[in-house]
Amino acid sequence: MLPNTLLARTVLLIGALLLISLAAWLTLFNLAEREPRAHQIATRAAAVVKLSRAALLAAQPDRRQALLQELSQQEGIRIVPMEPEEAFLPPPEQSMQRLIWRELQTRLGEDTLLIGDVEDNEALWISFQLGPDDYWLVLPRVALRPSLTWQWMGWGALTLLLAFAGGWVLVARINRPLRDAATVAARVGRGEFDARLNEQGPDEIAALAQAFNRMSADLAEQESQRALMLAGLSHDLRTPLTRLRLAVEMQVDDPNERTAMVQDMDDMDTLTRQFMEFARPQQEAARTTLDIDALCHELADSFCQRGLVVTVRGAAGLARLPAEGLRRAIGNLLENAHRYGAPPVELELARSADAVCITVSDRGPGLPDAELEAAKRPFWRGNAARTGAQGTGLGLAIVERYAQLSGGSLVLSNRNPGLAARLSLPLAAQA
């Protein structure tokens, strides 16, 4: 039932604390103000009783009835004869009425009685003597209430609203560095290690920003060293591989053995090229206008020349896409489909208003659903890569990196049978 954001939760907590504090202060104020208010009400009531009794005593007997009607119409005051049994009524039970009763007894006499209206609790009934008879003076409660009740409630609501607004502004200011940290963390997760947090602000926030920035710098250095190591290793391996291939072709007489050895060296050369590709720094490539159909048919023909049949379906036409890496990405998808899947391998092209979709599918055993996302991680290889074939586990990782740098996505899904890899690339506006 609580909101998910830290800002809203903190503001609600502050609001709850303010309400509890306000309720506590109102209770204390009511307790502290009860006795002075009872004294004030009793003083007013005693004055009304004395004035009413004096007016009735001073008036001629034939004018008393008219005076009673005038008091009732203009002041809301009624005078009612007291029944004999009413002289034995119990004292008031409410604490406020008991305070008023004791004060009235002090001012009007010990035999003064006080009751509240049993029907609507909107009046005070105060006993007094007029000659030999006892009467009730019914005083409207409205006349005794404070006149600023609603004003005080309005001011209290305004104060509470201002406190909520101030709390919202304060917590939003405190939460801003957290939102910035989440944004920068997402950028670092995408490989933008130059992203930094502002190190200004309170000590705790500044310490967090400094630690985060040091972490980003350390990750950038580690990534640079890793890329340098992979690039150097791959580069150093290609020279001896070239010499070995030349020696094999010149010195190995058995054609089958020579072909197998050359194939092994070609595989090793492919692995080194993938290492070098993965070790390259991540940066968004410039967009140029490409003929997607011609590029895909060219790649399909190159695979067909190696005896690996690729069927191209659909069309995408011309599109502005990041040129660098696109050929390599599609080639990796086709290579994976032939190496780990089973024919026929299909390359399907589709175009929408804002994206180009390139789907490579095969008829192999596919992947467990739980491993579809893991297959795009660097150096990941599943159950012997589905067929027992060996590799670096970088082919799909390189495609995934290209998709992210291009603002697109790579989605793997199982067919029945087979596996489909869908590369979606957003289109840029035409110049």
Side-chain angles (χ1 to χ4, degrees):
M1 300 297 292
L2 290 176
N4 292 328
T5 62
L6 180 61
L7 172 63
R9 290 188 177 187
T10 307
V11 171
L12 285 179
L13 177 60
I14 292 177
L17 293 177
L18 286 174
L19 287 175
I20 295 173
S21 177
L22 183 61
W25 279 109
L26 287 176
T27 302
L28 292 175
F29 177 78
N30 185 55
L31 292 175
E33 187 257 354
R34 179 177 297 174
E35 187 169 347
R37 186 153 55 94
H39 175 77
Q40 182 183 22
I41 292 175
T43 300
R44 292 182 182 179
V48 171
V49 170
K50 290 179 180 181
L51 288 174
S52 300
R53 182 169 54 184
L56 291 173
L57 289 175
Q60 297 180 1
D62 57 345
R63 292 284 304 163
R64 287 180 178 177
Q65 187 64 32
L67 180 60
L68 292 177
Q69 293 179 354
E70 184 177 354
L71 287 174
S72 176
Q73 293 175 356
Q74 296 184 3
E75 305 296 336
I77 298 173
R78 294 186 296 127
I79 296 179
V80 181
M82 179 186 294
E83 300 295 335
E85 62 272 12
E86 293 178 346
F88 302 99
L89 290 174
E93 296 182 357
Q94 298 181 8
S95 58
M96 186 66 180
Q97 290 187 6
R98 293 179 68 88
L99 290 174
I100 297 173
W101 174 53
R102 291 171 183 172
E103 189 70 24
L104 287 174
Q105 285 183 327
T106 302
R107 295 177 179 274
L108 299 178
E110 294 292 334
D111 56 348
T112 302
L113 300 177
L114 175 70
I115 60 173
D117 192 329
V118 294
E119 294 183 356
D120 57 12
N121 199 27
E122 286 293 326
L124 290 179
W125 292 53
I126 305 171
S127 67
F128 71 98
Q129 287 183 341
L130 187 62
D133 301 322
D134 292 328
Y135 293 88
W136 290 110
L137 186 144
V138 184
L139 190 64
R141 183 74 58 86
V142 176
L144 303 176
R145 287 179 175 174
S147 59
L148 299 179
T149 301
W150 288 107
Q151 295 182 20
W152 281 110
M153 292 182 65
W155 281 110
L158 178 61
T159 303
L160 189 62
L161 181 62
L162 292 176
F164 267 102
W168 184 278
V169 173
L170 178 63
V171 177
R173 183 177 180 85
I174 294 175
N175 284 357
R176 187 180 306 153
L178 297 180
R179 295 195 300 270
D180 294 341
T183 302
V184 174
R187 293 178 57 191
V188 171
R190 294 193 298 267
E192 301 178 24
F193 298 114
D194 58 339
R196 294 291 184 270
L197 286 175
N198 185 5
E199 297 183 1
Q200 304 298 322
D203 292 342
E204 295 82 358
I205 300 298
L208 174 62
Q210 292 170 4
F212 189 93
N213 291 340
R214 285 196 300 269
M215 180 195 70
S216 298
D218 293 342
L219 288 175
E221 184 177 358
Q222 293 176 11
E223 177 68 15
S224 177
Q225 292 176 355
R226 181 191 64 82
L228 181 62
M229 180 189 67
L230 288 176
L233 178 62
S234 301
H235 181 271
D236 292 342
L237 283 175
R238 298 193 71 181
T239 300
L241 281 175
T242 303
R243 291 200 300 265
L244 284 173
R245 178 168 184 169
L246 181 61
V248 166
E249 291 180 348
M250 294 179 61
Q251 298 179 15
V252 177
D253 297 330
D254 187 347
N256 294 331
E257 185 177 354
R258 184 171 61 250
T259 301
M261 295 177 68
V262 170
Q263 182 62 46
D264 289 341
M265 284 184 286
D266 286 342
D267 290 341
M268 294 177 65
D269 186 60
T270 300
L271 297 182
T272 57
R273 284 200 305 269
Q274 287 188 339
F275 275 121
M276 293 181 66
E277 171 64 22
F278 188 72
R280 288 184 179 180
Q282 300 184 30
Q283 56 184 359
E284 185 175 356
R287 290 178 176 263
T288 58
T289 302
L290 300 174
D291 189 340
I292 307 299
D293 300 340
L295 175 61
C296 291
H297 281 284
E298 181 183 342
L299 286 171
D301 291 340
S302 66
F303 273 83
C304 289
Q305 291 174 6
R306 296 163 47 191
L308 306 175
V309 179
V310 175
T311 303
V312 180
R313 295 191 304 169
L318 299 177
R320 287 180 56 82
L321 295 172
E324 185 179 355
L326 179 57
R327 176 187 295 271
R328 202 173 298 111
I330 300 175
N332 282 356
L333 293 179
L334 293 173
E335 190 72 37
N336 274 17
H338 279 290
R339 178 176 295 182
Y340 306 130
V345 174
E346 297 178 346
L347 177 58
E348 183 176 355
L349 303 175
R351 182 184 183 125
S352 63
D354 55 358
V356 167
C357 295
I358 303 170
T359 305
V360 176
S361 57
D362 61 68
R363 295 293 179 175
L367 280 172
D369 291 340
E371 297 181 2
L372 291 175
E373 286 299 319
K376 295 184 289 185
R377 298 174 187 168
F379 306 107
W380 182 91
R381 288 186 296 180
N383 184 14
R386 295 185 286 165
T387 61
Q390 300 299 315
T392 61
L394 290 176
L396 290 178
I398 293 173
V399 181
E400 172 75 0
R401 174 184 291 183
Y402 170 77
Q404 290 179 350
L405 292 177
S406 304
S409 63
L410 173 64
V411 178
L412 302 181
S413 59
N414 282 308
R415 304 175 62 187
N416 188 20
L419 184 73
R422 181 178 182 181
L423 177 62
S424 299
L425 301 174
L427 295 173
Q430 297 294 332

